Amino acid sequence: MTRESTDDETTRMHEIPPRPDPATDPSGASAGGSPDGPQHAPPRRRRARTTAALIVLAVVLGGAGVAAYGFGGGDGEKSETGSGLPPATALVTHSDLAQQDTVTGSLGYGDKQPLTSGASGTVTWLPKPGATIRQSQNALKADGRPIPLIYGDTPLYRELRAGTKGPDVTEVERALAALGYTGFTADEEYSDLTAAAVKRWQKHLGVPQTGTVKPADLVVAEGEIRVTGQEVQKGQKLQPGSPVLTYTGTSQLVTIDLDAKKLKLVRRGDKVTVVLPDAAHAAGTITSVGKVASTEGGDGAPGEDDGKTVIKVTVQIDKKDRDKLGSYDGAPVDVEITSQEKKNVLTVPISALLALSEGGYGVQVVKGSVSSTVAVETGMFANGRVEITGAGLKAGDKVGVPR
């Protein structure tokens, strides 16, 4: 070999990048070898380095997202995942959960009803729409004679005098007692003492003191009323038994035409939440559930859908929230009815649920700088939380959630 050739080789060696040494190259690759490195590298160099895969899933369950930001055993045992901590944590708590069904109602003063009178003669005075009439206040005047309202549920249909017995007698006696006219027993018998009390009341009203009560003398409603319209006009002749006014109650309430299929969701006395048109929430109580269904909508054509069957449900707004109602009359509202409820169950945010690769759900429990996945059984979903049971889980534990 000549020196000239040796120098040429030296020059070429400096021009060509050196081949990696299998003993020092992290990839283990060498010229002429496979991409995976030498087939006969020393055993201490053959140890493979592995990386845990991070699986991210999105599962929509109960209207909320369930994300899997890690994975672990699904057999109920904790599987260590090292220090791969979640982006944020939340507490496991004991909570009350309630599932709610939302239906549409109408906020107003209830259905209009006719107020009838047994009086005859010429109408000489009527209250204006919007007026409130309470017990003993005038509902109208006929021939200048005042005709007051009393509370009750039995229309007056006969003359009451000493010796008369019946529920209409009880009604009149209770009204007298409520107005401060005493000296008799409020029962079903119209006694001489009752007649004496009636005379005192008639004197106060400025009408003849007969001591008897006729259907023309009074009108009856279940409580104070709010006048919504006039069925007769001043100067018009009255016919006994004809309507003179239309009215509602004086308290705002919610009426619901409830789909009969949902009847099992409601009972008298149940508490509900009413969402008002301005988004304010008011507490309410179901005060009545109709017993007779009616058909809503439909045109009655043969073979056509005649509409859904509904039950009338009434909700009274609780006193503490009545100042939220304003002057709404006939306004649409949403009513949240609790259909199922569980007390003091172990819960986590729904977003804490992990969709496990082997099926089912788990939660990532965080303790200090270490996390582990625990498989759980889910129960009720409500209000952004889910009921869970899992091995070793208790209130106060921290579980991973998305940030």
Side-chain angles (χ1 to χ4, degrees), residues 129-153:
T132 297
I133 303 174
R134 298 177 177 86
Q135 184 152 254
S136 191
Q137 292 182 335
N138 293 333
L140 73 155
K141 291 183 180 179
D143 294 339
R145 177 189 176 97
I147 301 175
L149 171 77
I150 66 168
Y151 299 161
D153 55 11

mmCIF file of all heavy atoms in Angstrom, residues 129-153:
data_model
loop_
_atom_site.group_PDB
_atom_site.id
_atom_site.type_symbol
_atom_site.label_atom_id
_atom_site.label_comp_id
_atom_site.label_asym_id
_atom_site.label_seq_id
_atom_site.Cartn_x
_atom_site.Cartn_y
_atom_site.Cartn_z
ATOM 1 N N PRO A 129 -113.772 44.857 37.039
ATOM 2 C CA PRO A 129 -112.790 43.771 36.868
ATOM 3 C C PRO A 129 -111.478 44.123 37.568
ATOM 4 O O PRO A 129 -111.014 45.265 37.519
ATOM 5 C CB PRO A 129 -112.618 43.695 35.351
ATOM 6 C CG PRO A 129 -113.928 44.172 34.810
ATOM 7 C CD PRO A 129 -114.352 45.276 35.736
ATOM 8 N N GLY A 130 -110.924 43.139 38.237
ATOM 9 C CA GLY A 130 -109.700 43.343 39.003
ATOM 10 C C GLY A 130 -109.952 43.572 40.477
ATOM 11 O O GLY A 130 -109.018 43.460 41.288
ATOM 12 N N ALA A 131 -111.205 43.876 40.844
ATOM 13 C CA ALA A 131 -111.528 44.128 42.251
ATOM 14 C C ALA A 131 -111.497 42.814 43.042
ATOM 15 O O ALA A 131 -111.790 41.736 42.521
ATOM 16 C CB ALA A 131 -112.901 44.779 42.369
ATOM 17 N N THR A 132 -111.138 42.924 44.306
ATOM 18 C CA THR A 132 -111.154 41.774 45.217
ATOM 19 C C THR A 132 -112.338 41.919 46.170
ATOM 20 O O THR A 132 -112.546 42.992 46.757
ATOM 21 C CB THR A 132 -109.849 41.698 46.022
ATOM 22 O OG1 THR A 132 -108.753 41.484 45.133
ATOM 23 C CG2 THR A 132 -109.900 40.553 47.034
ATOM 24 N N ILE A 133 -113.119 40.854 46.313
ATOM 25 C CA ILE A 133 -114.290 40.869 47.195
ATOM 26 C C ILE A 133 -114.085 39.820 48.282
ATOM 27 O O ILE A 133 -113.860 38.638 47.987
ATOM 28 C CB ILE A 133 -115.586 40.570 46.408
ATOM 29 C CG1 ILE A 133 -115.764 41.581 45.269
ATOM 30 C CG2 ILE A 133 -116.793 40.602 47.342
ATOM 31 C CD1 ILE A 133 -116.933 41.269 44.362
ATOM 32 N N ARG A 134 -114.183 40.260 49.520
ATOM 33 C CA ARG A 134 -114.016 39.368 50.667
ATOM 34 C C ARG A 134 -115.366 39.146 51.353
ATOM 35 O O ARG A 134 -116.360 39.757 50.989
ATOM 36 C CB ARG A 134 -113.001 39.970 51.644
ATOM 37 C CG ARG A 134 -111.621 40.128 51.028
ATOM 38 C CD ARG A 134 -110.626 40.805 51.982
ATOM 39 N NE ARG A 134 -109.298 40.869 51.377
ATOM 40 C CZ ARG A 134 -108.901 41.842 50.562
ATOM 41 N NH1 ARG A 134 -109.739 42.848 50.260
ATOM 42 N NH2 ARG A 134 -107.692 41.832 50.043
ATOM 43 N N GLN A 135 -115.346 38.259 52.342
ATOM 44 C CA GLN A 135 -116.582 37.907 53.031
ATOM 45 C C GLN A 135 -117.259 39.144 53.624
ATOM 46 O O GLN A 135 -116.606 39.993 54.234
ATOM 47 C CB GLN A 135 -116.300 36.888 54.133
ATOM 48 C CG GLN A 135 -117.539 36.372 54.852
ATOM 49 C CD GLN A 135 -117.375 34.982 55.417
ATOM 50 O OE1 GLN A 135 -117.912 34.023 54.895
ATOM 51 N NE2 GLN A 135 -116.633 34.868 56.504
ATOM 52 N N SER A 136 -118.568 39.245 53.374
ATOM 53 C CA SER A 136 -119.444 40.320 53.837
ATOM 54 C C SER A 136 -119.371 41.581 52.982
ATOM 55 O O SER A 136 -120.163 42.503 53.176
ATOM 56 C CB SER A 136 -119.181 40.684 55.306
ATOM 57 O OG SER A 136 -120.190 41.539 55.789
ATOM 58 N N GLN A 137 -118.430 41.597 51.984
ATOM 59 C CA GLN A 137 -118.390 42.749 51.076
ATOM 60 C C GLN A 137 -119.387 42.536 49.941
ATOM 61 O O GLN A 137 -119.711 41.396 49.579
ATOM 62 C CB GLN A 137 -116.980 42.942 50.513
ATOM 63 C CG GLN A 137 -115.971 43.379 51.572
ATOM 64 C CD GLN A 137 -114.590 43.609 50.983
ATOM 65 O OE1 GLN A 137 -114.227 43.051 49.954
ATOM 66 N NE2 GLN A 137 -113.804 44.440 51.659
ATOM 67 N N ASN A 138 -119.852 43.609 49.360
ATOM 68 C CA ASN A 138 -120.889 43.524 48.336
ATOM 69 C C ASN A 138 -120.360 42.950 47.024
ATOM 70 O O ASN A 138 -119.321 43.384 46.513
ATOM 71 C CB ASN A 138 -121.502 44.892 48.074
ATOM 72 C CG ASN A 138 -122.288 45.414 49.263
ATOM 73 O OD1 ASN A 138 -122.799 44.636 50.064
ATOM 74 N ND2 ASN A 138 -122.381 46.732 49.398
ATOM 75 N N ALA A 139 -121.105 41.985 46.482
ATOM 76 C CA ALA A 139 -120.794 41.441 45.165
ATOM 77 C C ALA A 139 -121.573 42.181 44.085
ATOM 78 O O ALA A 139 -121.149 42.225 42.933
ATOM 79 C CB ALA A 139 -121.133 39.947 45.119
ATOM 80 N N LEU A 140 -122.721 42.748 44.451
ATOM 81 C CA LEU A 140 -123.544 43.555 43.544
ATOM 82 C C LEU A 140 -124.636 44.242 44.361
ATOM 83 O O LEU A 140 -124.791 43.966 45.561
ATOM 84 C CB LEU A 140 -124.161 42.698 42.444
ATOM 85 C CG LEU A 140 -125.322 41.758 42.839
ATOM 86 C CD1 LEU A 140 -126.197 41.483 41.625
ATOM 87 C CD2 LEU A 140 -124.808 40.463 43.426
ATOM 88 N N LYS A 141 -125.389 45.077 43.699
ATOM 89 C CA LYS A 141 -126.595 45.663 44.291
ATOM 90 C C LYS A 141 -127.716 45.544 43.274
ATOM 91 O O LYS A 141 -127.505 45.734 42.069
ATOM 92 C CB LYS A 141 -126.379 47.134 44.652
ATOM 93 C CG LYS A 141 -125.412 47.370 45.806
ATOM 94 C CD LYS A 141 -125.299 48.847 46.154
ATOM 95 C CE LYS A 141 -124.334 49.070 47.310
ATOM 96 N NZ LYS A 141 -124.196 50.525 47.648
ATOM 97 N N ALA A 142 -128.883 45.161 43.776
ATOM 98 C CA ALA A 142 -130.078 45.067 42.926
ATOM 99 C C ALA A 142 -131.172 45.922 43.557
ATOM 100 O O ALA A 142 -131.479 45.764 44.752
ATOM 101 C CB ALA A 142 -130.526 43.611 42.812
ATOM 102 N N ASP A 143 -131.750 46.819 42.770
ATOM 103 C CA ASP A 143 -132.732 47.783 43.286
ATOM 104 C C ASP A 143 -132.159 48.535 44.478
ATOM 105 O O ASP A 143 -132.868 48.864 45.444
ATOM 106 C CB ASP A 143 -134.039 47.075 43.680
ATOM 107 C CG ASP A 143 -134.772 46.487 42.485
ATOM 108 O OD1 ASP A 143 -134.512 46.941 41.340
ATOM 109 O OD2 ASP A 143 -135.589 45.564 42.680
ATOM 110 N N GLY A 144 -130.845 48.780 44.445
ATOM 111 C CA GLY A 144 -130.185 49.513 45.522
ATOM 112 C C GLY A 144 -129.889 48.686 46.749
ATOM 113 O O GLY A 144 -129.290 49.179 47.705
ATOM 114 N N ARG A 145 -130.292 47.445 46.769
ATOM 115 C CA ARG A 145 -130.115 46.574 47.936
ATOM 116 C C ARG A 145 -128.769 45.876 47.842
ATOM 117 O O ARG A 145 -128.470 45.210 46.847
ATOM 118 C CB ARG A 145 -131.236 45.546 47.985
ATOM 119 C CG ARG A 145 -131.139 44.518 49.108
ATOM 120 C CD ARG A 145 -132.180 43.433 48.904
ATOM 121 N NE ARG A 145 -132.087 42.369 49.898
ATOM 122 C CZ ARG A 145 -132.821 42.301 50.996
ATOM 123 N NH1 ARG A 145 -133.721 43.255 51.251
ATOM 124 N NH2 ARG A 145 -132.688 41.306 51.841
ATOM 125 N N PRO A 146 -127.902 45.965 48.877
ATOM 126 C CA PRO A 146 -126.610 45.289 48.839
ATOM 127 C C PRO A 146 -126.770 43.778 48.954
ATOM 128 O O PRO A 146 -127.576 43.282 49.743
ATOM 129 C CB PRO A 146 -125.868 45.865 50.051
ATOM 130 C CG PRO A 146 -126.940 46.317 50.987
ATOM 131 C CD PRO A 146 -128.078 46.764 50.116
ATOM 132 N N ILE A 147 -125.975 43.062 48.162
ATOM 133 C CA ILE A 147 -125.985 41.594 48.190
ATOM 134 C C ILE A 147 -124.546 41.153 48.460
ATOM 135 O O ILE A 147 -123.700 41.163 47.561
ATOM 136 C CB ILE A 147 -126.500 41.013 46.866
ATOM 137 C CG1 ILE A 147 -127.920 41.531 46.601
ATOM 138 C CG2 ILE A 147 -126.458 39.491 46.897
ATOM 139 C CD1 ILE A 147 -128.484 41.109 45.256
ATOM 140 N N PRO A 148 -124.249 40.809 49.724
ATOM 141 C CA PRO A 148 -122.869 40.495 50.092
ATOM 142 C C PRO A 148 -122.478 39.049 49.761
ATOM 143 O O PRO A 148 -123.312 38.187 49.491
ATOM 144 C CB PRO A 148 -122.858 40.728 51.608
ATOM 145 C CG PRO A 148 -124.259 40.432 52.037
ATOM 146 C CD PRO A 148 -125.141 40.852 50.902
ATOM 147 N N LEU A 149 -121.161 38.832 49.827
ATOM 148 C CA LEU A 149 -120.568 37.504 49.607
ATOM 149 C C LEU A 149 -120.325 36.829 50.949
ATOM 150 O O LEU A 149 -119.904 37.464 51.915
ATOM 151 C CB LEU A 149 -119.223 37.669 48.878
ATOM 152 C CG LEU A 149 -118.340 36.421 48.745
ATOM 153 C CD1 LEU A 149 -118.886 35.506 47.651
ATOM 154 C CD2 LEU A 149 -116.898 36.810 48.427
ATOM 155 N N ILE A 150 -120.608 35.500 51.017
ATOM 156 C CA ILE A 150 -120.152 34.698 52.154
ATOM 157 C C ILE A 150 -119.363 33.512 51.603
ATOM 158 O O ILE A 150 -119.508 33.132 50.434
ATOM 159 C CB ILE A 150 -121.317 34.206 53.052
ATOM 160 C CG1 ILE A 150 -122.208 33.212 52.287
ATOM 161 C CG2 ILE A 150 -122.107 35.366 53.611
ATOM 162 C CD1 ILE A 150 -123.193 32.466 53.200
ATOM 163 N N TYR A 151 -118.500 32.946 52.470
ATOM 164 C CA TYR A 151 -117.675 31.816 52.056
ATOM 165 C C TYR A 151 -118.409 30.505 52.301
ATOM 166 O O TYR A 151 -119.034 30.296 53.347
ATOM 167 C CB TYR A 151 -116.364 31.789 52.827
ATOM 168 C CG TYR A 151 -115.479 33.007 52.629
ATOM 169 C CD1 TYR A 151 -114.473 33.306 53.553
ATOM 170 C CD2 TYR A 151 -115.636 33.854 51.532
ATOM 171 C CE1 TYR A 151 -113.643 34.406 53.381
ATOM 172 C CE2 TYR A 151 -114.822 34.959 51.353
ATOM 173 C CZ TYR A 151 -113.825 35.232 52.279
ATOM 174 O OH TYR A 151 -113.017 36.332 52.108
ATOM 175 N N GLY A 152 -118.313 29.615 51.337
ATOM 176 C CA GLY A 152 -118.926 28.302 51.472
ATOM 177 C C GLY A 152 -118.890 27.563 50.148
ATOM 178 O O GLY A 152 -118.418 28.086 49.132
ATOM 179 N N ASP A 153 -119.418 26.346 50.168
ATOM 180 C CA ASP A 153 -119.447 25.557 48.932
ATOM 181 C C ASP A 153 -120.846 25.034 48.612
ATOM 182 O O ASP A 153 -121.019 24.212 47.715
ATOM 183 C CB ASP A 153 -118.457 24.388 49.010
ATOM 184 C CG ASP A 153 -118.687 23.499 50.224
ATOM 185 O OD1 ASP A 153 -119.732 23.656 50.895
ATOM 186 O OD2 ASP A 153 -117.827 22.654 50.509
#
